[in-house]
């Protein structure tokens, strides 16, 4: 993909750290730092004191891009106090990936002046105006078309299947009623012409005496209820004559 229109755009570069750096110290631990250069713009990280072979920086820098320049130079140095700084290694960072995709997180190889391996530096590049290619899919198969579902009535009965015709039954013989014997002209029992004999018991004659009359009704009125008390003949009707109590003898 051709990358155009980057003139004046901004590129963010984050220096994460270094791994397996060449050790340039004989006695103490080395103090590395990283330098970045793009066109005429240069940046330098802080010195990672006693970072030795695996220093960490986590510093971000912003570069202004130029049309036709797709490369960033990176150099790692060892800081010295009493003498000049010592060169550890350098490398070139290609910008094609970050300019086309907008993001690149890669560990870039460092080399000495003789081309020997001097370690790695990890950079995170971010370009917000990347032109991402449009995603297109070649049609590999015809589009899927949903087959229409046949409409089935709510109450569905399957079509009757054609069955073999049943054989026609043979005609039945006509019904013949059972033969009964002809009735005899003569009765089975001889009729009783004489009738029944008279009963030896005669009907009793009516009574010669009239029925007993009911007792006559009393002429006196009925006694009241309850009956009045009657005077006893054994006790005097009243108090004894004289004084009560009787005088002493």
């Amino acid at each position: 993909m051709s990358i155009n229109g980057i003139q004046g755009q901004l590129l963010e570069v984050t220096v994460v750290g270094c791994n397996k750096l060449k050790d340039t110290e004989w006695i103490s631990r080395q103090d590395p730092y990283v330098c970045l250069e793009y066109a005429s713009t240069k940046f330098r990280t802080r010195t990672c004191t006693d970072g030795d072979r695996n220093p960490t920086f986590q510093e971000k820098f912003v570069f202004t891009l130029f049309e036709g320049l797709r490369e960033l130079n990176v150099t790692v140095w060892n800081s010295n106090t009493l003498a000049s700084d010592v060169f550890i290694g350098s490398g070139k960072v290609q910008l094609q990936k970050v300019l086309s995709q907008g993001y690149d997180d890669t560990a870039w190889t460092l080399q000495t002046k003789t081309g020997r391996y001097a370690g790695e530096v990890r950079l995170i590049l971010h370009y917000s105006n990347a032109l991402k290619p449009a995603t297109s899919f070649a049609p590999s198969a015809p589009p899927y078309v949903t087959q229409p579902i046949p409409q089935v009535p709510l109450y569905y009965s399957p079509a009757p299947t054609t069955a073999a015709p049943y054989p026609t039954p043979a005609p039945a013989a006509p019904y013949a009623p059972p033969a009964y014997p002809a009735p005899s002209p003569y009765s089975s029992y001889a009729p009783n012409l004489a009738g029944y004999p008279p009963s030896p018991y005669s009907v009793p004659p009516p009574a010669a005496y009239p029925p007993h009359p009911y007792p006559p009704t009393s002429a006196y009125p009925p006694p009241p209820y309850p009956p009045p008390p009657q005077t006893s003949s054994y006790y005097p009707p009243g108090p004894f004559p004289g004084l009560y109590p009787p005088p002493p003898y």
Side-chain angles (χ1 to χ4, degrees), residues 111-135:
Q111 295 181 349
T112 63
K113 294 180 181 180
T114 59
R116 300 184 64 177
Y117 179 79
E120 296 177 346
V121 57
R122 182 185 174 192
L123 304 178
I124 296 178
L125 311 178
H126 183 259
Y127 179 53
S128 59
N129 295 326
L131 299 176
K132 297 182 180 180
T135 304

Side-chain angles (χ1 to χ4, degrees), residues 29-218:
R29 298 169 63 89
Q30 60 185 1
D31 305 323
Y33 64 91
V34 178
C35 293
L36 302 176
E37 182 179 356
Y38 178 78
S40 60
T41 305
K42 297 180 181 180
F43 290 103
R44 179 187 183 277
T45 66
R46 61 177 176 82
T47 300
C48 183
T49 304
D50 293 335
D52 201 26
R53 300 186 62 191
N54 300 293
T56 302
F57 302 101
Q58 294 292 344
E59 294 185 46
K60 183 171 67 173
F61 306 97
V62 179
F63 292 89
T64 302
L65 295 174
F66 293 91
E67 195 70 42
L69 186 57
R70 306 285 191 273
E71 195 173 77
L72 177 70
N73 296 323
V74 57
T75 306
V76 180
W77 296 82
N78 177 26
S79 178
N80 288 325
T81 306
L82 301 178
S84 60
D85 296 345
V86 178
F87 174 82
I88 297 177
S90 63
K92 294 184 180 295
V93 178
Q94 303 301 321
L95 305 180
Q96 282 81 358
K97 181 178 179 180
V98 65
L99 296 178
S100 61
Q101 300 182 10
Y103 184 81
D104 186 8
D105 183 356
T106 306
W108 302 91
T109 302
L110 301 174
Q111 295 181 349
T112 63
K113 294 180 181 180
T114 59
R116 300 184 64 177
Y117 179 79
E120 296 177 346
V121 57
R122 182 185 174 192
L123 304 178
I124 296 178
L125 311 178
H126 183 259
Y127 179 53
S128 59
N129 295 326
L131 299 176
K132 297 182 180 180
T135 304
S136 61
F137 300 94
S140 58
Y144 176 76
V145 178
T146 305
Q147 297 295 332
I149 301 176
Q151 299 294 329
V152 180
L154 183 61
Y155 299 97
Y156 173 74
S157 59
T161 58
T162 304
Y166 292 97
T168 305
Y175 173 76
Y180 295 97
S184 175
Y186 302 99
S187 174
S188 300
Y189 301 95
N192 188 4
L193 301 178
Y196 296 96
S199 175
Y201 301 100
S202 60
V203 179
Y209 299 96
H212 297 281
Y214 292 98
T217 305
S218 175

